[in-house]
Amino acid sequence: MTSQIALPLIPAGAGEPSSIVIGSGNRAVAEALAAPASWPFRTAILHGPPRAGKSLFARWFAAQQAGEAIDDAETLDETAIFHRWNRAQEEGTALLLIPGSAPWEIALPDLRSRLGAALALEIAPPDDQMMRDLILSHAERRGLMLGEESLAYVIPRMTRSFEAAERFVAAVDRLALERQSRPT
């Protein structure tokens, strides 16, 4: 039996806002992003674990023309963020800030006090149902068909994280390609 080397290609549709899986871990975030007029000072800060879809939510938010989304906010100059906050207040638009995975230590006192009053949004780890939906979403984008028996076996044994779901499907895809067989 021959094997095939799997190339690390990004599946079509990966990273599109339409690929957001909504479940227990992020439903409150999705609902809050759909109603920015209810945010204190029209500002929200979105936190979450790696690969949880923070950037997808930011792109969805911007595509809905709900306001401005700033991904990796901690990498920008604090004075520039302060001015964007002021502009959002003057124009009556929403401002969504998404810091990276490291804690965001804000040195500028005026910015720190303003962002301290912002709506804090947190993406929580997925439960079993959301893990199932995440795995199926990743598998669908890769053209993989995973059976219910396989999912019923693997989900209770997996780490509950967005990253683990993505890594699992990538590994299954790679093995299926290498072995030239359907995943089971």
Side-chain angles (χ1 to χ4, degrees), residues 45 47 72-79 81 98-109 111-113 115-116:
I45 302 173
H47 298 278
D72 293 322
E74 82 287 358
T75 64
L76 296 181
D77 177 68
E78 290 184 1
T79 303
I81 294 174
I98 302 101
S101 57
W104 190 12
E105 302 293 332
I106 302 168
L108 189 63
L111 179 61
R112 187 172 50 244
S113 68
L115 296 186

Side-chain angles (χ1 to χ4, degrees), residues 65-86:
Q65 298 179 344
E68 181 181 11
I70 302 174
D71 208 352
D72 293 322
E74 82 287 358
T75 64
L76 296 181
D77 177 68
E78 290 184 1
T79 303
I81 294 174
F82 180 75
H83 290 304
R84 285 172 137 166
W85 186 91
N86 283 331

Side-chain angles (χ1 to χ4, degrees), residues 124-142:
D127 63 8
D128 283 358
Q129 182 60 46
M130 190 171 185
M131 283 296 289
R132 179 188 178 284
D133 294 345
L134 286 166
I135 290 170
L136 288 174
S137 176
H138 287 298
E140 182 179 311
R141 283 195 301 278
R142 291 174 174 267

Side-chain angles (χ1 to χ4, degrees), residues 90-106:
E90 291 167 5
E91 296 173 358
T93 60
L95 180 63
L96 175 62
L97 300 169
I98 302 101
S101 57
W104 190 12
E105 302 293 332
I106 302 168

Side-chain angles (χ1 to χ4, degrees), residues 15-51:
E16 294 299 316
S18 63
S19 65
I20 298 174
V21 173
I22 304 296
S24 62
N26 63 6
R27 186 174 321 285
V29 169
E31 290 169 358
L33 292 179
S38 66
W39 301 353
F41 301 99
R42 296 177 204 87
T43 306
I45 302 173
L46 176 57
H47 298 278
R51 309 300 299 159

